[in-house]
Amino acid sequence: MPTLLTSIGLLVFLSLGTVLAIQWLSSGRVMTELGGALINNRFNQVETELRKEFQSAKKASQFITKSLQARAYDQDNPAGLTDLFKGVMIPVEYITGIVYVRPDFQGIGVLRNAQGDLETNLFNVQENLNSRLYNIVINSRDTRQPFWGPPVYSALLKQTLLGLRTPIHREDEYLGFLAISISIEALSELTAKLQVPDLSTVFVLFGENNVIAHPNIQSGLNVLSGERPLPSRQDISNPVIRSLHLAEPFNRPLIKAPEGTELLALNVEDQDYLIFRKEINEFGDFPVILGFYGLQSSVGAPIRILIGAIAVGILLLIIALV
């Protein structure tokens, strides 16, 4: 009889062990998928908010382009164009400037100053044939689609701008050149709003070494010039962004990056960070990288809580069976 009881007990525990092993493997896979879903959800949230600002520039460009093509505004009336541009900019706080250059190279610009007020400037692009704007207008004249240009430093605003450039045509008639600009300071203000302390700090890079947006970008703005429109990572007073080049691939279980997203690990000042980054195609051929980083302990906290709950459940099951 003891032998029979022992055999039954061993059979029960073997069966239970098999069930628990399958459950644990299944739970691990579920946890990994859940971790990827949580990361993907955060990435989608950040990317959506940033794209809203880029889309606002596109919508403004489309509206102004259609207005000029329909002759709703007289190109020879700066006051009317000023009203049009201000009407577009007032409700969209992240648009920093609108510049329009007529076919005769007479230009009008409405710019948002440091106080948030809108200022109007009239100019003639041909007065300086070597200017960056003159070359942009000439070289893009035959282009038919809007396109994002590389970052450009504005000496007037003392800011670096990302510009959506639109040569305007009505059939074969050239109507002028339009640029809608967003400053890197405005984008950095948005990353600061999206920041969740310890969990995710958002950044945008131009290539691997230059920073388009980061909550601490103010610390790197004093180095900007026409020859150097963007601060480097080393100009930003943040140890993580400065040390990104030291990050290594993170391949541990339970946290898996979504497809198209790179997952890296970095130790800075005795703190372990996870870094998530991906290239975005909003700017055509320009190498723009969107990412965020957070403490490993904070990023993995929701998953550890679920694993703990599963472990407690299994322990209670064992106690109940015993």
Side-chain angles (χ1 to χ4, degrees), residues 1-288:
M1 184 64 68
T3 302
L4 180 59
L5 289 174
T6 301
S7 299
I8 293 174
L10 286 173
L11 181 61
V12 170
F13 277 103
L14 283 173
S15 300
L16 177 61
T18 302
V19 171
L20 293 179
I22 294 172
Q23 177 65 30
W24 180 257
L25 290 173
S26 176
S27 298
R29 185 168 60 252
V30 170
M31 290 300 101
T32 299
E33 292 175 356
L34 177 60
L38 291 172
I39 295 165
N40 195 44
N41 182 63
R42 178 58 179 158
F43 234 124
N44 286 340
Q45 178 188 5
V46 169
E47 189 171 3
T48 297
E49 291 300 320
L50 286 170
R51 286 186 184 278
K52 279 183 183 178
E53 306 315 320
F54 301 139
Q55 286 297 326
S56 67
K58 286 186 176 181
K59 290 179 180 178
S61 176
Q62 291 170 352
F63 178 76
I64 294 172
T65 296
K66 289 179 179 178
S67 297
L68 293 175
Q69 289 173 334
R71 299 191 187 277
Y73 290 84
D74 185 358
Q75 292 175 290
D76 297 325
N77 180 9
L81 291 176
T82 297
D83 290 340
L84 170 63
F85 298 161
K86 287 184 176 181
V88 168
M89 292 179 65
I90 288 173
V92 188
E93 62 176 319
Y94 291 111
I95 291 183
T96 307
I98 296 178
V99 170
Y100 171 66
V101 179
R102 301 184 324 201
D104 63 359
F105 295 100
Q106 295 295 321
I108 178 172
V110 177
L111 306 174
R112 198 185 304 271
N113 62 26
Q115 291 72 42
D117 299 324
L118 300 180
E119 299 179 350
T120 302
N121 293 277
L122 302 177
F123 53 89
N124 187 320
V125 178
Q126 283 186 311
E127 290 180 356
N128 185 356
L129 298 183
N130 294 319
S131 72
R132 183 183 291 108
L133 181 57
Y134 176 80
N135 291 324
I136 292 172
V137 171
I138 290 296
N139 293 332
S140 64
R141 186 178 183 121
D142 295 329
T143 305
R144 291 283 176 163
Q145 296 296 326
F147 63 97
W148 287 96
V152 173
Y153 180 75
S154 168
L156 179 63
L157 292 176
K158 300 189 185 311
Q159 295 186 58
T160 293
L161 307 174
L162 299 175
L164 179 63
R165 303 170 181 178
T166 307
I168 303 175
H169 297 83
R170 183 175 53 240
E171 297 180 353
D172 293 331
E173 181 185 4
Y174 176 67
L175 301 179
F177 172 85
L178 177 70
I180 312 287
S181 298
I182 302 174
S183 74
I184 62 172
E185 289 185 60
L187 288 176
S188 294
E189 288 176 9
L190 181 57
T191 63
K193 291 180 180 179
L194 293 172
Q195 184 177 21
V196 180
D198 294 335
L199 182 60
S200 65
T201 297
V202 181
F203 63 88
V204 183
L205 301 181
F206 189 80
E208 294 293 338
N209 294 316
N210 295 314
V211 181
I212 290 177
H214 186 276
N216 296 109
I217 202 167
Q218 289 291 337
S219 59
L221 296 182
N222 60 336
V223 302
L224 303 186
S225 66
E227 292 71 34
R228 190 182 177 190
L230 292 174
S232 71
R233 289 188 295 103
Q234 300 305 316
D235 294 321
I236 308 301
S237 61
N238 179 276
V240 178
I241 205 75
R242 286 180 173 180
S243 305
L244 287 181
H245 61 287
L246 300 175
E248 299 179 348
F250 183 88
N251 297 313
R252 299 178 192 174
L254 299 183
I255 299 180
K256 182 181 179 180
E259 185 177 353
T261 303
E262 190 176 7
L263 174 57
L264 304 170
L266 177 66
N267 182 278
V268 178
E269 298 179 355
D270 295 326
Q271 296 276 11
D272 290 320
Y273 291 87
L274 288 179
I275 302 163
F276 306 89
R277 44 172 278 168
K278 65 184 289 189
E279 290 192 13
I280 57 177
N281 57 8
E282 186 72 31
F283 297 94
D285 296 331
F286 295 115
V288 177

